[in-house]
Amino acid sequence: TVLGAEAYEIFDNVLSQLIQEALFNISVPHLQDHVKIVEDQMWLQSQLDDVGLIAFIRNGAILPRISGVDDGPMPMQEQPTPFQSPATLEKSFVLPRTGENVTGMGVPKGITLICGGGFHGKSTLLQAIQWGVYGAKVPGDGREFCVTNPTAMKVRAEDGRSVQAVDISSFINNLPFDKDTTCFSTSDASGSTSQASNIVEAIELGTKSLLLDEDTCAGNCIFRDEKMKLLIANDKEPISPFINYVGSLKRDLSISTVMVVGAIGELFSVADLVLVMDSYRCEDATLRAKDIVRGSTSQPIPSQSFGNIKNRIVVRDKFDPNGKVKTPRRGLIVYGDTEIDLSSVEQVVSFCQTTAISAYLQKLAAGAGANSKQPLLDVLDALDGLVDSQGLDALAVSQFHGGFTRPRKMEVG
C-alpha cells in the first residue's frame, strides 16, 4: 500500500525545506570557519606521533555528556567542569589554518593510569580519548581538539563472543585436557578468553595504543595478587595477567597503554604516568604513586615477553552470508542466519559504520581484496586501498548506497 498523502507531504514540504536549508541558507563565513576547525583538528592529530604523544585533551573541553544515550555535551546550566591540564603535562600547538594557539594535556607514549574515586570522571576522560581516534569533532561538541592516535583500540572483556583461530597463548596456556590456545576458537568465550582475544586481535591489526577500563575488564586477566598466588600455585593457573606483559608491549612492540584503575594499586609499579581525577579535575599524581610503591612490601611485578603475533588467514567462502544481510541497529548485523553483536565494540559510533562493516564482510565473500590463504591484515589493507581510490561507494554490493560511514580496520577485523 502506498501512503500517498504522506509521500506528498515529504516531497512537497519536507524535502524542499531540507534542500533550501542545505544548499541556500548557508553562511559562507560560518562554513569556512567550520572547515578550518575540522582541518586544524586533523592536523593536530597528525602531529601526535612526532611529539611523543598518544592523545591530546584541550584545556576548556567539556568532556561530560548529557547521558549514556545522548552524546551531546552536558548543558552549561548543569555547570560541567571544563578540562584543565596538569601543569606538568601541558602542551601547546599553533594551528596552521586559523593561526590560533591551542593548549591542553598531552598524554605521552608509555603506560598511563587514570585513577580516582567513583563518579569523579575517570571513564569520561577515557571515553574522550577512545573517541578521539576519529580526529575532528563538529564545533559545539565540547570535545573539539581532543584527539588520539588513530590506531588506539579500546579492549574489554566480552563474555559470549565468538573467537576464531586466535593465538591467546601469551595470556592463557596449559588449559585442562590439553586444550590448544595457539589457535583458539570458541563460540562462547569467557571473560578472560574474550579479553585476551580482543587484545591479541588489536595488536595483530596494528594498534599502537591499548585503552582499558577496569570496570569492563576480566579481573583475572589484569592482575593476580600475592594471596591468590599462595592459594593457587602458578603452575595451576593457566592465565598470565596483562600486568605481566604491559612493560614488554611498550618496550618490544612500542604499544602504549591507557587504563582506568579504581582498585588495583599494584599497577602503580609499572606505570609511567598516574593521573587522578577529582571531581572532574585532573592531577598528575605520578610522584605520589611512586612513593607508595617504594613504601610497599609487595613483590615486584614479573615482566614477561609477549609472544609473536600470528596472522589470521582469510577463508573467503566462510564469509558467504547464505541469506539476507541487515543492520537493524548500530550494535547488530544480521548476516544470513548469524547475528553479529557489535555492542561491545565501543569505537563503532554510528549506525552507518555498522552498515559499512557489513558491506566489508560481503566484499570479502565476493573475493575483493583477498587471495587464497591471505593474512587478514593484508586483506583489510587492500579493501582500505579500494575505498581510498574509489570512495565508500566501492563497498556497495549492487548499487549506490549512500548510507556508509567509514569504519577503521580495527573494528572490521
Side-chain angles (χ1 to χ4, degrees):
T1 302
V2 176
L3 301 175
E6 287 80 358
Y8 178 84
E9 172 68 18
I10 290 172
F11 284 103
D12 189 56
N13 294 322
V14 177
L15 187 59
S16 61
Q17 183 178 349
L18 290 175
I19 292 172
Q20 181 70 28
E21 292 178 356
L23 298 180
F24 302 105
N25 296 347
I26 295 176
S27 165
V28 173
H30 178 77
L31 180 60
Q32 290 174 332
D33 289 344
H34 182 108
V35 171
K36 288 179 181 178
I37 290 172
V38 168
E39 290 180 343
D40 274 343
Q41 290 181 78
M42 299 306 293
W43 174 86
L44 179 60
Q45 185 184 39
S46 73
Q47 302 304 298
L48 295 178
D49 193 54
D50 290 342
V51 296
L53 302 179
I54 60 169
F56 177 87
I57 305 296
R58 173 180 59 88
N59 285 349
I62 303 300
L63 304 186
R65 302 292 90 188
I66 292 175
S67 70
V69 295
D70 189 334
D71 196 44
M74 181 180 286
M76 295 309 293
Q77 58 264 33
E78 295 187 29
Q79 298 181 327
T81 301
F83 184 83
Q84 179 64 43
S85 172
T88 53
L89 299 170
E90 205 164 63
K91 301 287 184 183
S92 294
F93 297 85
V94 177
L95 302 171
R97 295 289 282 123
T98 63
E100 296 178 358
N101 188 76
V102 62
T103 301
M105 179 177 74
V107 180
K109 296 177 181 180
I111 302 165
T112 297
L113 304 181
I114 304 174
C115 306
F119 308 100
H120 278 255
K122 304 187 302 295
S123 295
T124 300
L125 175 56
L126 184 68
Q127 286 172 353
I129 293 172
Q130 76 185 49
W131 289 329
V133 297
Y134 294 112
K137 305 290 190 304
V138 296
D141 177 87
R143 298 167 298 187
E144 301 94 322
F145 298 100
C146 297
V147 295
T148 305
N149 182 298
T151 71
M153 189 70 185
K154 175 71 184 326
V155 292
R156 56 172 292 164
E158 194 178 348
D159 294 63
R161 67 154 285 191
S162 174
V163 177
Q164 295 296 320
V166 179
D167 182 358
I168 61 171
S169 59
S170 289
F171 291 109
I172 301 174
N173 213 337
N174 299 320
L175 289 177
F177 312 112
D178 296 323
K179 185 173 178 61
D180 182 29
T181 58
T182 61
C183 188
F184 183 77
S185 298
T186 179
S187 60
D188 186 20
S190 66
S192 56
T193 56
S194 64
Q195 180 159 330
S197 299
N198 285 335
I199 292 172
V200 171
E201 289 168 349
I203 296 171
E204 176 193 3
L205 294 175
T207 186
K208 287 301 178 183
S209 304
L210 292 170
L211 313 176
L212 302 94
D213 191 327
E214 185 182 83
D215 284 350
T216 57
C217 288
N220 59 346
C221 200
I222 296 298
F223 175 69
R224 189 164 176 257
D225 68 19
E226 294 301 319
K227 293 182 179 65
M228 188 56 69
K229 290 177 183 177
L230 291 174
L231 181 65
I232 308 295
N234 286 338
D235 61 352
K236 298 296 184 182
E237 174 54 76
I239 301 174
S240 296
F242 180 73
I243 191 174
N244 293 5
Y245 293 108
V246 68
S248 171
L249 290 174
K250 180 186 75 168
R251 182 182 62 251
D252 301 332
L253 300 178
S254 299
I255 294 175
S256 297
T257 297
V258 179
M259 184 173 180
V260 165
V261 177
I264 309 176
E266 295 296 334
L267 287 162
F268 293 167
S269 63
V270 297
D272 300 307
L273 173 66
V274 179
L275 301 175
V276 168
M277 297 299 291
D278 183 359
S279 298
Y280 287 86
R281 291 177 173 83
C282 187
E283 305 170 11
D284 181 352
T286 307
L287 296 179
R288 287 162 49 200
K290 294 304 182 183
D291 284 343
I292 292 170
V293 171
R294 283 190 288 269
S296 172
T297 59
S298 298
Q299 295 296 314
I301 301 298
S303 180
Q304 296 176 238
S305 295
F306 199 83
N308 294 325
I309 296 296
K310 296 180 180 177
N311 293 315
R312 289 170 289 167
I313 303 299
V314 172
V315 181
R316 283 205 306 264
D317 59 5
K318 299 297 183 182
F319 286 88
D320 189 339
N322 295 317
K324 291 184 177 180
V325 177
K326 297 184 293 183
T327 309
R329 59 180 185 272
R330 184 179 71 179
L332 181 65
I333 297 172
V334 178
Y335 202 73
D337 57 2
T338 300
E339 290 191 352
I340 303 174
D341 183 359
L342 299 181
S343 59
S344 294
V345 185
E346 297 181 26
Q347 287 163 294
V348 173
V349 295
S350 77
F351 169 81
C352 293
Q353 275 184 307
T354 307
T355 304
I357 290 172
S358 72
Y360 267 88
L361 299 179
Q362 292 174 84
K363 278 292 185 182
L364 286 176
N371 297 317
S372 178
K373 295 185 177 180
Q374 193 172 4
L376 174 61
L377 181 58
D378 291 350
V379 173
L380 294 179
D381 284 342
L383 286 174
D384 269 350
L386 180 68
V387 172
D388 286 340
S389 62
Q390 300 182 27
L392 284 167
D393 290 340
L395 297 176
V397 176
S398 58
Q399 58 187 4
F400 172 77
H401 191 282
F404 293 143
T405 298
R406 187 170 186 169
R408 303 183 304 162
K409 61 188 174 186
M410 280 75 177
E411 281 71 51
V412 179

